[in-house]
């Protein structure tokens, strides 16, 4: 009789673990967060590069006038 309860308990734990491991919601959220972070990094690098070039251009124009 105790063996039946133990087997049911193990089966129940196994089902719960399979359910948790089979979920993809957390993985998808992490992937989206990584993509958003990468896009933000690219934007920051691009704006910094453009800002530096633009600053040099304005300085050149200012010294030419």
């Amino acid at each position: 009789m105790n063996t039946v309860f133990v087997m049911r308990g193990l089966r129940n734990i196994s089902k719960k673990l399979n359910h948790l491991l089979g979920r993809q919601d957390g993985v998808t959220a992490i992937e989206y967060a990584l993509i958003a972070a990468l896009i933000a990094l690219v934007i920051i690098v691009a704006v910094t590069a453009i800002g530096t070039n633009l600053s040099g251009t304005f300085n050149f124009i200012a010294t030419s006038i």
Side-chain angles (χ1 to χ4, degrees):
M1 187 136 150
N2 286 337
T3 321
V4 173
F5 289 124
V6 171
M7 292 302 290
R8 284 183 185 167
L10 288 175
R11 194 173 307 131
N12 194 14
I13 291 172
S14 175
K15 285 181 183 179
K16 288 181 181 180
L17 282 174
N18 283 335
H19 177 71
L20 285 175
L21 293 175
R23 291 182 61 190
Q24 296 293 320
D25 298 340
V27 175
T28 303
I30 292 171
E31 288 171 352
Y32 284 137
L34 288 173
I35 291 170
L38 182 63
I39 290 171
L41 182 65
V42 168
I43 289 172
I44 290 170
V45 169
V47 168
T48 303
I50 290 171
T52 304
N53 289 338
L54 194 57
S55 176
T57 303
F58 281 136
N59 286 335
F60 175 74
I61 293 171
T63 55
S64 297
I65 294 176

